[in-house]
Structure formats: C-alpha cells, structure tokens
Amino acid sequence: MDATEALDEIAFRLETERAPQFKVQAFRKASATVGAWSTDELRARAADGRLKATKGIGASTLEVILQALDGGIPDRLAKLRSAETSPLTESGRELRPQIRGDLHAHSDWSDGTTPIPQMVAAAISLGREYLALTDHSPNLTVAHGLTAERLEQQLAEIEGLREVLESRGAGLRLLTGIEVDILDDGTLDQRPELLGRLDIVVASIHSHLRADARTMTERMLGAITDERTTILGHCTGRLVEGSRGTRPPSEFDAERIFAACAENDVAVEINARPERQDPPDELIALALEAGCLFSIDSDAHAPGQLALLDYGIERAALCGVPAERIITTWPVERLLDWAH
Ligand SMILES: [Zn+2]
Ligand SMILES: [Zn+2]
C-alpha cells in the first residue's frame, strides 16, 4: 500500500470518528512530509534510519509507513476499517443514494483544519457531485471570519481550482459560498454585493443565542427575508453532546420562522453534526408542515467530517422528509437556478 494514502486514510477515518485534532494532525503532517519523496527515496530513508529521525515522524506514523512499505495494510488502518460504523438504518440507506451534494463546509481560510483542495478531494472520494465552501464572515473573529478582501481572494482561488477540476474531469462542481453571521439587527455580516455573487449563502446565528424569543424571531426574520439568503443554518444553535459541552436551543417563534422560510424560498438546514442534531425532530416536523425545503449539510471543518453527512441523512429519513423537498438531492443546475 502507498504510505501517503495509508496516512491520509487514517487521518480521514480518525476525523470521521471525531478523534482529537492533535492525533489527526500527526498523520496529516507525516503524509505531507512523506508525500514529497518518491517511493525509492522513502525506502532509502527508511533503510538507513533517516526516516526515524525526521521531524514530525513519530512512533505510530513510522510504524504505519514501514508496514505500508512492506506491502501490507498497516495494522492501524486495518483496525480503523474494521471498526467502521454507520448511523444509517433502512430508511437512511434508501435516502442516501439520492443525496448529491453538501452545501456547508469550512476550510483553513476560517476555522477549518485543511486547505480547500483537500476538502475537495475528500468530497470527490465520497461521491459528492457538488460541494459549497462556506467559510465564516468577519464578525466571527474567533473563527478567523473572512473580510470582504479575503473573501475576494478566496473566490479567485476557487475559480482556479474549478478550472483544474474541470480539466481533470473530476465530476465535482465546487460552489462558492459563505456561512454568514446574522447580526443582532437581522442584517447579514458581509457586503451585499459580494453576497450576491456567491452560489450559496448559509445564514447562521453564532452570538447572543440566549436573547428572548421576540428578539431572536425578529433577528432571524431579517435574514430570511434578505433575498441573498439561501439556507438558514443550524437554526436553534443547540449542542447536544461533544467536547464543547451542551447548549439549549435558542427560543423563537418557530411557526413564523418556518412560514417565512417557505414564503421566501429559504431552505431549512438539517445540520448533520452529531453534536448539533439541529433542528430537533419536533422542529423538522413543524418545518415540513409549513412547506419548507431542506438542505442536509455536514458543516465539516475537516475532510473526514464530510462523511458525517450520514447522520443528517438518517435524521431526515426518520423524520419522513421527502427526497424531493431536500435541495441537496437536486442536480446542480436545478439547485443553482433555484438559489439564484
Ligand atoms: Zn455555524
Ligand atoms: Zn459552519
């Protein structure tokens, strides 16, 4: 087995298992180091001890590399492969093949761990037809939200990447986007002209989540009625498990919010992250009744987290959301027509 591929797959699988970042990064860094050498060069370095002395190659990454060079599947990888679990039951397994894309993902331009090309490669390996890159907006300083200037730079990089993908016949359409903060006054945290140029605008609340229901409702309505908004991100902001602890859902007039989403053609996000599971089941039922569209999104911050989309697919299936009402089952042309 190719050593770089083995290290990358281990990192990917650790991310899907939601292992701590430092563990994942050891494998990603080792992969970058080893990937710069030819197999012959790597063999020579392994034989004379230089590999062991290389900065960033530790005991566990060294073992993986040596076992890969021996021609087998490294033990660490075999163990991760055999431990693979899926959240999908029968209904989730029926819906999954109909899902074509993912409209909410982050790169290292904001608080993601990885450059855009690695996110794209992972999305391709998962069979996605499209992926929207939606890094954070300026207000979210803790997440290195993108200023208008940096977003312009990112758009230029994406343009270049699109050309590369097209010339390779990669079969994945990389969409431009943003996860834009909904500010306290209900406006969106980026220049309107710039938002208008993006394929996908996910509008989310990340601050003052505990404001009273009336304030939250007005704030969310401001974003939903903005013609540039395509998706309402993780609408309650709740956290149900995980390293960041738990957080109760925000309070708002859900009937008014979902009625406004239906009227303004804003899709309600089913955020797949196991620690979010947002919206809760009862709100998905309410949004269904209101006639809303849905978008099942991974909200991935690392390549392996793109695979966590299955958790959202399973929830949508269990809640009885028809595939036709999930915009990520639509072909990309139909999706873009609708979004624009
Ligand atoms: Zn968010
Ligand atoms: Zn996000």
Side-chain angles (χ1 to χ4, degrees):
M1 184 174 195
D2 181 81
T4 317
E5 278 171 23
L7 293 163
D8 285 342
E9 188 180 331
I10 290 170
F12 183 95
R13 287 180 178 274
L14 286 171
E15 284 163 351
T16 307
E17 283 191 353
R18 294 185 289 154
Q21 254 317 297
F22 73 90
K23 274 195 186 172
V24 180
Q25 285 309 326
F27 290 94
R28 291 225 177 269
K29 278 188 190 140
S31 163
T33 305
V34 171
W37 303 323
S38 68
T39 308
D40 287 345
E41 172 79 20
L42 179 59
R43 277 191 198 285
R45 285 175 185 257
D48 65 15
R50 275 179 296 160
L51 179 64
K52 196 178 171 186
T54 303
K55 194 169 168 256
I57 303 290
S60 46
T61 47
L62 181 68
E63 187 184 67
V64 169
I65 297 165
L66 295 178
Q67 289 176 350
L69 283 174
D70 275 347
I73 306 287
D75 296 342
R76 184 74 188 264
L77 179 54
K79 201 173 152 201
L80 282 166
R81 281 182 181 177
S82 69
E84 186 180 67
T85 54
S86 166
L88 297 174
T89 62
E90 201 182 328
S91 38
R93 278 197 297 271
E94 241 168 66
L95 178 59
R96 191 191 185 187
Q98 300 179 70
I99 299 293
R100 295 170 188 261
D102 188 346
L103 300 176
H104 184 167
H106 300 270
S107 72
D108 64 356
W109 281 75
S110 66
D111 60 349
T113 62
T114 345
I116 303 170
Q118 276 164 269
M119 292 300 285
V120 170
I124 292 171
S125 76
L126 289 165
R128 308 273 185 261
E129 293 175 25
Y130 48 87
L131 173 73
L133 196 72
T134 55
D135 276 311
H136 289 287
S137 66
N139 184 54
L140 210 59
T141 47
V142 287
H144 310 288
L146 271 62
T147 58
E149 198 186 353
R150 287 184 64 224
L151 180 55
E152 297 257 18
Q153 290 166 6
Q154 189 189 55
L155 291 178
E157 178 177 328
I158 289 175
E159 191 53 45
L161 258 169
R162 275 177 167 174
E163 280 165 26
V164 173
L165 288 170
E166 211 166 302
S167 69
R168 282 198 205 140
L172 178 126
R173 179 86 170 261
L174 180 58
L175 306 179
T176 59
I178 187 171
E179 182 181 17
V180 66
D181 268 36
I182 303 173
L183 299 174
D184 287 345
D185 64 358
T187 59
L188 302 179
D189 179 38
Q190 189 48 277
R191 292 208 312 249
E193 165 272 325
L194 205 42
L195 291 175
R197 279 167 50 196
L198 302 172
D199 294 322
I200 297 296
V201 174
V202 180
S204 308
I205 292 184
H206 292 114
S207 57
H208 304 136
L209 292 154
R210 299 268 66 79
D212 62 83
R214 216 174 119 175
T215 306
M216 288 302 275
T217 304
E218 291 308 318
R219 194 177 169 192
M220 292 162 85
L221 286 174
I224 295 163
T225 53
D226 188 310
E227 60 179 19
R228 294 162 200 91
T229 301
T230 21
I231 296 168
L232 179 65
H234 50 67
C235 65
T236 79
R238 75 169 180 173
L239 291 175
V240 293
E241 60 169 68
S243 57
R244 284 192 289 166
T246 59
R247 186 164 65 204
S250 296
E251 287 171 19
F252 54 87
D253 183 340
E255 278 178 32
R256 273 185 77 195
I257 291 303
F258 295 138
C261 284
E263 196 184 315
N264 291 276
D265 246 346
V266 168
V268 174
E269 177 180 78
I270 295 178
N271 190 293
R273 296 189 68 95
E275 71 269 32
R276 286 197 182 272
Q277 300 178 34
D278 199 2
D281 291 355
E282 60 276 18
L283 289 193
I284 293 180
L286 211 58
L288 258 178
E289 226 172 273
C292 294
L293 293 168
F294 297 86
S295 179
I296 305 173
D297 298 331
S298 70
D299 197 358
H301 286 66
Q305 292 175 5
L306 289 165
L308 297 175
L309 197 70
D310 283 355
Y311 286 88
I313 294 171
E314 176 63 15
R315 289 200 60 230
L318 287 183
C319 290
V321 182
E324 180 56 25
R325 298 239 321 246
I326 302 166
I327 60 172
T328 44
T329 64
W330 299 352
V332 70
E333 296 78 19
R334 179 177 173 197
L335 174 80
L336 290 175
D337 274 353
W338 169 82
H340 290 146

